[in-house]
Amino acid sequence: MKILQLCNKSPFPPLEGGPIAMNSITTSLIDYGHKVKVLAVNSYKYQVDSSKLPADYVKSTNIEFVFVDLRIKKMAAFLNLFTFKSYHIERFKSKDFQNKLIEILQNETFDVVQIETIFLTPYIATIRKYSKAKIVLRAHNIEHLIWKRLQSNCTSLLKKIYLIHIVRTLKMYELKVVNQLDGVITISKPDLDFFVAHGCKSPIKVIPFGISKKTIDAVNPTFLANNFEKINIGYIGSMNWMPNIEGVEWFLNHVWEPISRQNNKLVFNLAGRFIPKHFYDYQIPNFVIHGEVESASEFINSNDIMIAPLFSGSGIRIKIIESMLQGKPVITTTVGAEGINFTDRHDVLIANTADEFIDAITILSQNSDLRKIVGTNAHELIHLNHNMSIITPLLIEFYKSLPSHE
């Protein structure tokens, strides 16, 4: 098959959740003999120098970029309050991107156009006009639910009013656009259930995030020897995403502050891109900020326990999947574990309150055998449920099942 993949940011280098999820599909489709062409948004927030991409990646994907100014403009955001349009969606409308898309569709024929995230769905009409390809949305999240959960936790009245507008307009758009597509792919079952319950009539299927068989087979979980001097607890994630910021702040204030003063053998290691400056102001014992690390897998392997204190968002948390693959016991929330076929206390530990997080950290830090058991189970779960050798054929089968426009 020949697939045009529209990406809201470059899938390469895969440095954070979205690009990792997109790149996984890109490379796996190519490995299975399909032709993939990538058209990606470049922006100030996530800018890629195309000249520095690996030559073989550029050749295999024929990747092209269009710069889109996604910076939030105060006046435009304010005026948007008086409309029924989603400002988050409007920011992605670009004449330059549309023209490049038209040029590609006029010069090449595709079987499928896969749109990554709802942010590029404003180009559905353009695709319909210039192509007979099947149009499939890959919904990484249910976007308005991320903002709804943030709105619920917001204490500022003015900010809450603005968030209500964001949620309302995003929801209206999101639930409408899913019925303008030939197919919808969700990364998690809860997201599929939500769309179906709210009127999605388009063919829809769960295709979870996957890791290449080569990568999975190369991972041989190593379990750190019991260290009576210290237990390292790690978190890694992109720190310019609001749910991550919210979750780590909550963890520091409500979990790490009390537990670190009770047990000085525990060390909390924070890694990620774009860590806000205020995190460096925390005066809490044994809190180490690593910033952006060269190797996520090496950072994960250097820790005894990984955490993911997430209270908003949807879809699936790729860093949790990667930590589980490495054989690390993960403590996360019910929200954080969405989309993972987990069993609590078997392959992950679920904690939704500060006391539950403290209890889980205490139990795992005191029992190296339990850490190894949970980590081993976690690795096996990822091997069985998130392996691209299983997932890619399901994706192609879904493509082929969709009605043709011939």
Side-chain angles (χ1 to χ4, degrees), residues 58-121:
V58 173
K59 183 179 179 180
S60 64
T61 63
N62 195 18
I63 189 169
E64 292 189 75
F65 295 93
V66 176
F67 181 81
V68 178
D69 187 356
L70 297 178
R71 290 177 296 183
I72 295 176
K73 299 174 178 63
K74 292 181 179 178
M75 182 55 70
F78 173 74
L79 293 176
N80 179 261
L81 286 169
F82 305 98
T83 75
F84 292 103
K85 295 180 179 180
S86 168
Y87 183 57
H88 281 60
I89 302 297
E90 293 296 305
R91 287 162 55 219
F92 279 86
K93 291 182 178 179
S94 161
K95 195 67 177 176
D96 290 340
F97 191 91
Q98 183 181 44
N99 289 339
K100 172 55 69 175
L101 177 59
I102 292 171
E103 176 189 320
I104 292 170
L105 294 175
Q106 286 180 328
N107 292 326
E108 298 183 59
T109 301
F110 299 94
D111 299 299
V112 174
V113 176
Q114 180 165 303
I115 302 175
E116 303 281 352
T117 78
I118 63 162
F119 299 114
L120 296 184
T121 53

Side-chain angles (χ1 to χ4, degrees), residues 284-299:
I284 304 178
N286 295 337
F287 170 41
V288 182
I289 298 179
H290 296 259
E292 184 175 358
V293 293
E294 187 172 334
S295 170
S297 62
E298 287 182 9
F299 174 80

Side-chain angles (χ1 to χ4, degrees), residues 36-321:
V36 180
K37 159 80 177 177
V38 177
L39 176 60
V41 169
N42 229 350
S43 67
Y44 288 113
K45 187 175 182 180
Y46 198 92
Q47 193 160 16
V48 172
D49 184 347
S50 59
S51 67
K52 294 182 178 179
L53 295 180
D56 58 343
Y57 188 87
V58 173
K59 183 179 179 180
S60 64
T61 63
N62 195 18
I63 189 169
E64 292 189 75
F65 295 93
V66 176
F67 181 81
V68 178
D69 187 356
L70 297 178
R71 290 177 296 183
I72 295 176
K73 299 174 178 63
K74 292 181 179 178
M75 182 55 70
F78 173 74
L79 293 176
N80 179 261
L81 286 169
F82 305 98
T83 75
F84 292 103
K85 295 180 179 180
S86 168
Y87 183 57
H88 281 60
I89 302 297
E90 293 296 305
R91 287 162 55 219
F92 279 86
K93 291 182 178 179
S94 161
K95 195 67 177 176
D96 290 340
F97 191 91
Q98 183 181 44
N99 289 339
K100 172 55 69 175
L101 177 59
I102 292 171
E103 176 189 320
I104 292 170
L105 294 175
Q106 286 180 328
N107 292 326
E108 298 183 59
T109 301
F110 299 94
D111 299 299
V112 174
V113 176
Q114 180 165 303
I115 302 175
E116 303 281 352
T117 78
I118 63 162
F119 299 114
L120 296 184
T121 53
Y123 300 100
I124 291 173
T126 300
I127 300 167
R128 293 275 188 230
K129 183 175 180 180
Y130 292 94
S131 174
K132 294 182 179 179
K134 303 169 185 179
I135 306 176
V136 177
L137 168 66
R138 187 170 179 233
H140 293 211
N141 306 286
I142 297 177
E143 295 295 336
H144 78 269
L145 288 184
I146 297 174
W147 293 94
K148 185 174 183 179
R149 285 167 173 158
L150 290 171
Q151 169 206 317
S152 300
N153 297 330
C154 181
T155 56
S156 166
L157 179 60
L158 288 178
K159 188 175 180 180
K160 197 175 189 74
I161 291 171
Y162 186 65
L163 287 173
I164 289 171
H165 175 74
I166 288 176
V167 172
R168 183 173 65 247
T169 53
L170 252 181
K171 182 178 181 180
M172 287 171 55
Y173 181 85
E174 203 162 12
L175 296 182
K176 179 181 178 181
V177 80
V178 291
N179 285 315
Q180 298 173 8
L181 297 144
D182 298 307
V184 178
I185 295 167
T186 66
I187 294 179
S188 73
K189 179 69 162 53
D191 286 1
L192 179 146
D193 292 341
F194 181 90
F195 278 131
V196 171
H198 287 79
C200 177
K201 304 301 181 185
S202 300
I204 186 168
K205 188 176 181 65
V206 177
I207 307 285
F209 165 74
I211 299 172
S212 72
K213 184 177 185 300
K214 181 179 178 181
T215 299
I216 289 177
D217 290 345
V219 173
N220 183 21
T222 55
F223 301 98
L224 301 177
N226 197 23
N227 187 342
F228 294 100
E229 295 299 321
K230 63 179 180 178
I231 295 292
N232 281 293
I233 298 164
Y235 174 92
I236 184 168
S238 182
M239 293 301 290
N240 61 347
W241 193 50
M242 190 58 70
N244 287 351
I245 296 172
E246 173 198 60
V248 175
E249 285 178 340
W250 175 87
F251 179 80
L252 286 169
N253 292 327
H254 300 285
V255 178
W256 197 249
E257 175 75 40
I259 199 172
S260 65
R261 299 191 187 281
Q262 296 169 11
N263 188 343
N264 62 11
K265 96 180 233 183
L266 301 176
V267 179
F268 177 45
N269 299 290
L270 172 63
R273 309 175 75 218
F274 309 115
I275 294 178
K277 292 180 180 179
H278 70 270
F279 280 94
Y280 293 88
D281 296 331
Y282 276 90
Q283 300 296 317
I284 304 178
N286 295 337
F287 170 41
V288 182
I289 298 179
H290 296 259
E292 184 175 358
V293 293
E294 187 172 334
S295 170
S297 62
E298 287 182 9
F299 174 80
I300 291 168
N301 273 330
S302 69
N303 287 280
D304 301 278
I305 302 164
M306 296 298 292
I307 63 155
L310 288 162
F311 298 93
S312 58
S314 68
I316 202 164
R317 310 313 180 282
I318 289 170
K319 291 304 179 188
I320 296 179
I321 298 291

Side-chain angles (χ1 to χ4, degrees), residues 325-390:
L325 175 64
Q326 298 288 347
K328 296 298 175 181
V330 176
I331 306 170
T332 188
T333 60
T334 302
V335 171
E338 283 179 357
I340 301 172
N341 188 25
F342 69 91
T343 300
D344 188 17
R345 304 283 165 147
H346 181 262
D347 30 55
V348 297
L349 274 72
I350 300 298
N352 292 309
T353 67
D355 286 343
E356 289 173 357
F357 255 95
I358 291 171
D359 288 344
I361 290 172
T362 301
I363 291 167
L364 286 174
S365 66
Q366 293 176 350
N367 192 333
S368 61
D369 288 339
L370 181 61
R371 295 200 297 272
K372 184 173 181 178
I373 291 169
V374 173
T376 300
N377 293 338
H379 174 79
E380 289 301 314
L381 185 147
I382 302 309
H383 187 277
L384 292 172
N385 292 350
H386 297 276
N387 192 324
M388 286 307 296
S389 66
I390 299 170

